[in-house]
Amino acid sequence: MFKDKIVVVTGGVNGIGKCIAEEFRKEGSKVIVIDKAPGGDFLGDIADKTVLEDFAANVIAQYGHVDVLVNNALPIMRGIDSCSYEEFQYALAVGVTAPFYLAKLFSPYFGPGASIINISSSRDRMSQPQTESYTAAKGGIAALTHALAASFAGKVRVNSISPGWIDTSYAVYTGPDATQQPAGRVGNPLDIANMVLFLASPKAGFITGENIVIDGGMTHLMIYHGDHGWSLKEE
């Protein structure tokens, strides 16, 4: 169902983004990857407004339209003790402003049945200490999702995915690392890519403005001292 579809993926050279791009290619899509790491189709930092404009113009000049936009690029993670003003702004530029601006730039060019999928994080609802820049960006893109869904009503469906613990090396964990998740394992990039393809497909045609948590159930499991192999370690 994705044969010859035009799919844009930000941050698609490594990790989850790479897997998403590969799965669309297997379906016959033309995938255009922008990343600040070499190996994609367009090299550039999406925190830069000019880079976004040049990239969007390049995509439209070559293909004329966009069917799927996946905003996956990873914001930096810095905490309240170490994060500078500039670093915090940079995280928001990558994680929130760039997805908004790409949606705006592509707005006149989305094809029939087009879809935007934003990659948020389970950190949009839970946190570790010293992760403010990343967490704020992921919370922002989750909220941006339902705002865009309302603005694009009838034209583009917009959804987001909040991954939990995803090991991009496909490592297999045992013991408490696995059992703290009701699914019994740590996730891998295919768990996210499979949902991206579903949300982009006509099968999800009645889903928009939604956030899908893919975390093996971890955010729903309360863990106390002694549960699931975990015990309190006194400092």
Side-chain angles (χ1 to χ4, degrees), residues 9-204:
V9 181
T10 70
V13 169
N14 297 296
I16 292 173
K18 179 180 180 181
C19 183
I20 292 169
E22 288 174 345
E23 292 305 301
F24 272 113
R25 290 191 185 105
K26 289 177 185 177
E27 295 292 322
S29 302
K30 174 56 185 177
V31 181
I32 307 100
V33 168
I34 180 171
D35 204 305
K36 65 180 183 180
D41 303 284
F42 196 99
L43 183 65
D45 188 340
I46 65 169
D48 187 324
K49 177 174 179 281
T50 302
V51 167
L52 294 173
E53 292 171 343
D54 290 347
F55 173 65
N58 183 276
V59 170
I60 298 307
Q62 288 193 64
Y63 305 104
H65 74 283
V66 172
D67 296 299
V68 181
L69 169 61
V70 182
N71 290 303
N72 166 80
L74 197 66
I76 60 172
M77 185 183 289
R78 300 283 188 277
I80 189 71
D81 291 348
S82 62
C83 186
S84 69
Y85 179 90
E86 291 77 16
E87 287 173 325
F88 194 85
Q89 290 289 90
Y90 181 79
L92 295 182
V94 171
V96 184
T97 307
F100 163 78
Y101 200 43
L102 282 176
K104 182 178 180 67
L105 291 169
F106 288 135
S107 179
Y109 305 103
F110 282 116
S115 182
I116 298 172
I117 297 102
N118 297 321
I119 306 301
S120 181
S121 169
S122 57
R123 293 172 190 267
D124 63 5
R125 69 205 63 203
M126 58 191 296
S127 298
Q128 291 175 296
Q130 305 301 322
T131 63
E132 281 77 9
S133 67
Y134 184 88
T135 300
K138 291 304 185 180
I141 199 170
L144 177 66
T145 295
H146 56 75
L148 287 174
S151 295
F152 279 136
K155 181 179 180 182
V156 182
R157 291 184 303 102
V158 188
N159 293 288
S160 63
I161 296 171
S162 288
W165 184 356
I166 303 296
D167 191 295
T168 57
S169 69
Y170 295 84
V172 176
Y173 293 77
T174 59
D177 285 338
T179 58
Q180 68 177 304
Q181 290 147 122
R185 65 175 176 87
V186 171
N188 64 63
L190 269 173
D191 293 313
I192 309 306
N194 287 336
M195 179 57 72
V196 170
L197 267 69
F198 170 72
L199 289 174
S201 76
K203 294 179 180 180

